[in-house]
Amino acid sequence: MRVLTSTAARLQRSQVSVQAFTRLSSISLFLLASWADGDRLALVALQGTLLAIPYALMEALVGRPLSAGVVPAAWNVESWAKRVAALTMLPVGLVAFTAVSVALPDSSLTDRLFVIAPVLLQLPVEALFWACARTRGTARANLLPQLTAIGTLLGGTAFVASEVRVDVAALPAQFLVLTWVLLRPRTGSAGRVRPGARASLSVGAVYCVAALVDLSYTVALPAVAGAVAGQTAVVVLRALDLAFGPFHVVLSASTREDIVAGRRARWVTATRGLTLVTWLVVTAVVVGSEWVRGLLAADLAAVGAAALAGYCAYKLLLTVSTWTSVRHMIRARPRRYLVSAVGSRAIAFGGVAVALVWATDFSDLVIQLVVCEALVGAWFLVRMRSTPSDEAGPEAVEVVPESRTSSVTAAPA
């Protein structure tokens, strides 16, 4: 019994459980809508896509500055995180509302507002997760996304049984989690300064720009695949992404663990090991089982073994470049990291441009992906080696939880 309790506690503190619960709640909500609320299935699907905005935005504006140690020590971290969430609600709301209006022009005003409401409430949930991870400890911080995901699952089931629209299933859980966090007493070590609007956003602006550059490449890749190899290549890429879904859950968990740990992050961790094991298992299934590939897409089943192996190698190189990128971000000054991030995407976009001229089928596209990702990994390694070992943000904050209290120490300047 003690072993089970200890294992459950370790899982709760890990980012694997956070990512798994979040992904499970999203998939379950989609399935519930598909089974019992088909009229709103498109709304739920689009909502799931839009929820990527608060996750990426709050990691860039709150999580990464904390991890890199560029947040002034005098700032009250939780108050700053709340302000960032509040300041981003209007632009995120406008973007999300426009996206729903364009994608689903026949939807009513009520439908559009209900779709974007959980997206907006997820902003403070994510912002407070990153703040609490630094001021209250990882275990308590993990409860925010974990309880939100579990509450969404329960809410979706209850709403289906009660014939209530499924696209608002997350709202009760989000309200309850936010109420719980906001009513808790402040930590004794919290800084006293509550930064203004401009300062709150500027400290993470560089990381936000880097995230937007990455997002633009993510959008461009399938478009280029369709241009150089036709619709089949788009289908194959999407099917392979679905096959590597478990791998991406663990990879995301490993990067979030690094960001939460900041400069205390280690190269060798259990989550990194699990990431490599998951990559190996998925690779074996994708390359070795034509039946599994056929379940995902008929076009995928027809792809040759060499191209599949190349794509799997690309995912392994992506893992290395992702880990080195996060490690570099934690230890480099924001402007230096921005140069590194933009440089890596310049390499990637250069590969896309070459593919438009040179590639003629999916195999050629895979070769381009492998070569460019290897160059990106090498680029980050070079940038890391040339980064001064004592480089850090000025007046950085490092809050290390100690039981029920915390202490604030300044990181090296």
Side-chain angles (χ1 to χ4, degrees), residues 60-61 64-65 70 201-213 329 333-339 341-342:
L61 291 175
R64 295 197 171 215
V70 297
L201 295 176
S202 63
V203 72
V206 166
Y207 305 109
C208 188
V209 171
L212 292 176
V213 172
M329 180 277 299
R333 291 185 180 274
R335 290 184 180 179
R336 182 177 182 82
Y337 175 72
L338 179 60
V339 172
V342 172

Side-chain angles (χ1 to χ4, degrees), residues 91-107:
V92 170
L94 292 174
V95 169
F97 187 86
T98 301
V100 179
S101 301
V102 172
L104 303 171
D106 294 332
S107 60

Side-chain angles (χ1 to χ4, degrees), residues 12-273:
Q12 192 277 324
R13 291 193 298 269
S14 74
Q15 292 303 308
V16 174
S17 62
V18 173
Q19 294 294 302
F21 274 121
T22 301
R23 183 68 64 94
L24 180 62
S25 67
S26 177
I27 294 173
S28 298
L29 208 62
F30 180 83
L31 292 176
L32 286 171
S34 177
W35 296 336
D37 197 5
D39 292 341
R40 298 187 179 91
L41 180 58
L43 294 171
V44 173
L46 184 57
Q47 184 184 77
T49 301
L50 293 175
L51 279 169
I53 297 175
Y55 297 138
L57 194 60
M58 290 302 103
E59 179 183 299
L61 291 175
V62 180
R64 295 197 171 215
L66 283 172
S67 182
V70 297
V71 180
W75 282 13
N76 184 296
V77 173
E78 293 186 18
S79 295
W80 162 62
K82 295 174 191 175
R83 178 155 294 181
V84 171
L87 290 170
T88 53
M89 276 194 175
L90 180 58
V92 170
L94 292 174
V95 169
F97 187 86
T98 301
V100 179
S101 301
V102 172
L104 303 171
D106 294 332
S107 60
S108 66
L109 177 61
T110 301
D111 286 338
R112 299 174 191 181
L113 293 177
F114 276 138
V115 166
I116 68 173
V119 177
L120 297 182
L121 275 184
Q122 195 62 32
L123 288 168
V125 172
E126 286 296 305
L128 287 170
F129 160 77
W130 289 110
C132 291
R134 188 50 57 96
T135 61
R136 300 175 187 267
T138 305
R140 295 186 183 183
N142 282 357
L143 285 174
L144 275 67
Q146 287 167 345
L147 292 176
T148 300
I150 294 171
T152 300
L153 281 169
L154 297 176
T157 304
F159 283 11
V160 166
S162 306
E163 297 185 354
V164 178
R165 55 189 305 151
V166 181
D167 52 353
V168 295
L171 290 179
Q174 290 172 322
F175 274 119
L176 288 174
V177 167
L178 287 174
T179 301
W180 171 60
V181 175
L182 296 176
L183 290 180
R184 289 187 303 173
R186 296 180 182 274
T187 55
S189 66
R192 302 300 179 187
V193 176
R194 299 183 179 184
R198 182 175 180 179
S200 295
L201 295 176
S202 63
V203 72
V206 166
Y207 305 109
C208 188
V209 171
L212 292 176
V213 172
D214 277 340
L215 183 61
S216 65
Y217 176 74
T218 301
V219 173
L221 182 58
V224 171
V228 302
Q231 183 177 345
T232 298
V234 178
V235 174
V236 169
L237 281 178
R238 179 56 180 163
L240 284 170
D241 274 340
L242 291 175
F244 274 89
F247 159 79
H248 281 292
V249 167
V250 188
L251 177 60
S252 297
S254 70
T255 58
R256 283 174 71 103
E257 284 186 354
D258 284 350
I259 295 172
V260 168
R263 296 196 167 210
R264 302 187 306 276
R266 298 174 298 170
W267 271 114
V268 180
T269 65
T271 309
R272 288 192 195 278

